[in-house]
Structures are given as structure tokens and as C-alpha cells.
């Protein structure tokens, strides 16, 4: 029970990092054959800098990604706060 604070922080950082992964996919596959390994951040990058430089569309996708990450983070923190024990 005393380790739940550390587990909460670790889970929070891992979950946020999973949503924002870009460099591994871009470096290894570049989106993959036929966009099979493309993630949302890769799609945002391509919209902004590869496909006709649609900055507004990429910005809108970025804001939606931010809102999704925010909602998931709030849910995750509220669930793990209930399980933590005050020391």
C-alpha cells in the first residue's frame, strides 16, 4: 500500500509518454509500409510539414490530442487516488 504513490506517478508518466510517442516510429519505420505503424503524433507531423503545409488542421489535431490526454490523465489520477493510502 505504501508504494502506490510511486506506482501512480510511474503509471501517469508511462501513459502520457505512450500517447506522445513520435521519435521511435519516425526513426525506425517513418510510418511504416502503407502507414501501418503511423501514430497520431506522426499524422500531426505529416499534416503540418508534409501534406501541403496544413498548419491549422495539424493544430486542431494537436488540441484534440491534448484534450484526450487530459481526460485520460484525469480519469487515471482519480482512479489511483482512491487506492492510495495516506501515510
Amino acid at each position: 500500500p505504501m508504494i502506490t504513490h510511486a506506482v501512480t506517478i510511474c503509471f501517469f508518466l508511462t501513459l502520457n509518454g505512450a500517447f506522445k510517442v513520435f521519435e521511435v516510429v519516425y526513426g525506425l519505420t517513418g510510418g511504416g509500409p502503407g502507414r501501418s505503424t503511423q501514430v497520431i503524433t506522426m499524422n500531426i507531423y505529416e499534416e503540418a510539414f508534409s501534406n501541403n503545409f496544413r498548419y491549422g488542421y495539424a493544430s486542431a489535431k494537436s488540441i484534440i490530442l491534448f484534450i484526450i490526454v487530459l481526460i485520460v490523465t484525469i480519469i487515471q489520477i482519480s482512479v489511483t487516488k482512491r487506492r492510495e493510502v495516506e501515510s
Side-chain angles (χ1 to χ4, degrees), residues 23-43:
E23 65 276 352
V24 174
V25 176
Y26 187 73
L28 291 177
T29 64
R35 297 181 181 180
S36 62
T37 60
Q38 190 176 43
V39 291
I40 186 69
T41 51
M42 185 81 180
N43 188 287

Side-chain angles (χ1 to χ4, degrees), residues 22 26 41-55 58 62:
F22 170 77
Y26 187 73
T41 51
M42 185 81 180
N43 188 287
I44 291 169
Y45 175 80
E46 284 186 359
E47 282 295 330
F49 303 113
S50 297
N51 298 338
N52 301 326
F53 300 103
R54 295 168 27 165
Y55 297 118
S62 298

Side-chain angles (χ1 to χ4, degrees), residues 1-42:
M2 298 300 287
I3 199 166
T4 55
H5 295 292
V7 170
T8 300
I9 292 170
C10 183
F11 186 60
F12 168 75
L13 293 174
T14 303
L15 191 62
N16 282 333
F19 274 113
K20 297 181 282 186
V21 67
F22 170 77
E23 65 276 352
V24 174
V25 176
Y26 187 73
L28 291 177
T29 64
R35 297 181 181 180
S36 62
T37 60
Q38 190 176 43
V39 291
I40 186 69
T41 51
M42 185 81 180

